[in-house]
Amino acid sequence: MMAAVLFISFIVLIFLGVPVAFSLGLSSLVYLFLADIPLTIIPQKMFAGLNSFVLLCIPGFILAGNLMNAGGITDRIIKFANNLFGHIRGGLGLANVGSSMGFAGISGTALADTASIGAILIPAMKKEGYGAGFSAAVTASSSTVGPIIPPSLPMIIVGTLASVSIGDLFLAGALPGLMLGIGLMIPTYIISVKRNYPKGERKSLKVIFESFMGSFWALFMTIIILWGILGGYFTPTEASIIAVIYALVIGIFVYKELPIKKIPGIMLSSMTTTASIMLLVGFANLFGWIMVSEQIPQLVADAILGISENPIVVILLINLLLLFVGTFMETIAALVILFPVLMPVAAQVGMDPVQFGVMMVLNLVIGLVTPPVGVCLFVASQIGKVPIGKAARELVPFIGVSLVVLMLVAFVPQVSLYLPSLFE
């Protein structure tokens, strides 16, 4: 009965438009009042959820991404991708996807990808004759590559929850991320050919190489992060600080497009983003503690395994649940709440924690482009000045590709575990 109050109040608050973090906190508060539990438990459980050294890398990676973006990296990545794909039919759409793959190694978040790349490429695509809905759909769907390709904020959360190597999770996301990016290029090209969208002039190898070198120093940051973590030279938290220093050096001295006077504003923006994420993690941990107290994880496990103990059926049921949750819940909140609930079920059918982590993150980022709470879809639609419904219809083939990659991650362990196995 009390668990029902918790979930009903949470769902009501979500549909009233209350931010997810406060929905988690308020619904937990209602439960604690009705259950007559001292409210001192709130700061205790929130602090317990945040008291992790690994979580300290979140502000570092956010700041590094913002510094690189302010230092002109977005323009350089887009220029390289456009020079590479621009001569193909629908080349600007392909460049959009390619830019997201490059930008994924910088920001680690889908929303930052949508906002920064979309602000440049959606108007450019519309100007060239691409449909506004199609432009928004390409931008929103390709931005989901960001949380899969390292570095990735959701993967950091998974590593904290599962007590597994952040480096292994970063590596595990690399191949699925590349598969997703390349896969999204297929419907982009097919639709572009069908609708006779424009293509540009073929660039010379010299021009392509020069634009690659222009974006090289930004893309190289991902290599430094992975090399340092996997080689044991520094922890993920230390890697995030090195990334900040690297971003400052590249922005100020190499690209020379990062004015020192802008840095305080970038730091303030990064602090605001970090605070919102940490508040979300804290409230989600309190919510998760209540669920454990009510034995919700065991009830969910029993319910799923009660339907079937066949590993294929169980994994499909977990995916369906996550896809549904992803349509209305923010990725990090869903991870903190549901990972401890579903991991024991996945373990019972033989799924590796690293593979399950990648599958769960991929599941939930698909929700970033699906109504009703698809924030990336919403932002892309706003930039493209197109109704969300129209953009959502254009998204169907792209979501289809994402689901194919998701099934490969779910049922072919080597898709996510091959690269980590090379560094054991």
Side-chain angles (χ1 to χ4, degrees):
M1 177 62 184
M2 293 300 296
V5 171
L6 178 74
F7 286 108
I8 290 171
S9 58
F10 174 70
I11 292 170
V12 169
L13 288 166
I14 285 290
F15 281 97
L16 287 176
V18 178
V20 175
F22 294 109
S23 297
L24 290 168
L26 290 171
S27 56
S28 299
L29 186 62
V30 170
Y31 172 91
L32 295 174
F33 266 125
L34 295 178
D36 198 26
I37 296 175
L39 298 186
T40 52
I41 200 71
I42 296 176
Q44 292 174 14
K45 294 304 172 184
M46 288 184 68
F47 178 76
L50 297 171
N51 188 25
S52 170
F53 181 71
V54 174
L55 289 180
L56 287 175
C57 66
I58 291 178
F61 282 128
I62 290 173
L63 178 57
N66 288 342
L67 287 169
M68 292 292 270
N69 194 28
I73 176 56
T74 305
D75 292 340
R76 284 175 168 80
I77 290 177
I78 289 174
K79 183 179 180 181
F80 170 57
N82 197 28
N83 286 340
L84 194 62
F85 300 112
H87 65 282
I88 305 171
R89 179 72 61 190
L92 204 53
L94 297 174
N96 194 326
V97 180
S99 299
S100 293
M101 293 173 70
F103 194 76
I106 307 300
S107 72
T109 59
L111 190 56
D113 187 321
T114 305
S116 58
I117 292 178
I120 298 171
L121 281 181
I122 291 178
M125 290 177 70
K126 288 173 64 178
K127 185 178 179 181
E128 290 292 319
Y130 292 81
F134 176 78
S135 303
V138 171
T139 304
S141 60
S142 63
S143 69
T144 59
V145 176
I148 310 299
I149 292 178
S152 161
L153 297 187
M155 294 295 187
I156 294 168
I157 299 295
V158 168
T160 306
L161 295 171
S163 298
V164 298
S165 166
I166 302 293
D168 284 351
L169 284 164
F170 280 0
L171 275 178
L175 186 55
L178 290 173
M179 292 171 60
L180 180 59
I182 294 169
L184 291 172
M185 289 184 176
I186 296 173
T188 302
Y189 175 73
I190 292 173
I191 294 171
S192 296
V193 170
K194 184 178 178 181
R195 298 180 183 176
N196 198 33
Y197 285 146
K199 62 179 180 178
E201 296 180 0
R202 183 184 294 272
K203 302 296 183 181
S204 67
L205 289 176
K206 180 183 178 182
V207 171
I208 293 174
F209 179 75
E210 287 175 350
S211 62
F212 167 72
M213 291 307 298
S215 61
F216 171 78
W217 291 108
L219 301 175
F220 191 61
M221 186 173 80
T222 303
I223 298 173
I224 291 176
I225 291 168
L226 286 176
W227 171 77
I229 294 174
L230 296 171
Y233 298 105
F234 37 77
T235 66
T237 301
E238 292 165 346
S240 69
I241 303 306
I242 289 171
V244 170
I245 297 170
Y246 181 86
L248 284 169
V249 171
I250 297 302
I252 296 173
F253 299 108
V254 178
Y255 291 158
K256 299 179 181 178
E257 291 187 23
L258 179 61
I260 294 178
K261 64 181 181 181
K262 273 191 174 183
I263 294 177
I266 294 169
M267 292 183 69
L268 181 61
S269 173
S270 301
M271 289 166 61
T272 304
T273 304
T274 300
S276 65
I277 291 174
M278 292 304 188
L279 185 66
L280 184 58
V281 171
F283 279 134
N285 192 67
L286 172 64
F287 193 90
W289 173 79
I290 293 172
M291 289 203 302
V292 171
S293 301
E294 290 287 335
Q295 297 185 323
I296 301 299
Q298 189 60 47
L299 291 173
V300 172
D302 291 343
I304 292 176
L305 295 173
I307 296 172
S308 174
E309 293 188 5
N310 184 304
I312 294 176
V313 176
V314 171
I315 292 172
L316 281 173
L317 289 172
I318 291 174
N319 277 291
L320 288 172
L321 174 62
L322 291 173
L323 286 170
F324 170 71
V325 169
T327 62
F328 65 87
M329 189 179 292
E330 198 274 343
T331 302
I332 292 177
L335 282 172
V336 177
I337 293 170
L338 292 178
F339 192 90
V341 174
L342 296 174
M343 184 62 237
V345 184
Q348 286 192 50
V349 296
M351 184 172 277
D352 185 274
V354 172
Q355 179 194 4
F356 179 69
V358 176
M359 184 189 83
M360 190 165 182
V361 171
L362 181 53
N363 249 300
L364 294 171
V365 298
I366 292 173
L368 295 174
V369 296
T370 53
V373 191
V375 289
C376 290
L377 174 62
F378 178 78
V379 170
S381 299
Q382 289 287 97
I383 296 171
K385 298 178 181 178
V386 58
I388 288 182
K390 186 174 181 180
R393 287 193 295 273
E394 295 276 7
L395 267 169
V396 173
F398 299 99
I399 292 177
V401 168
S402 300
L403 292 176
V404 169
V405 176
L406 174 61
M407 290 300 102
L408 288 172
V409 170
F411 294 107
V412 184
Q414 287 304 102
V415 170
S416 53
L417 299 181
Y418 175 69
L419 288 180
S421 70
L422 296 178
F423 290 85
E424 289 180 351

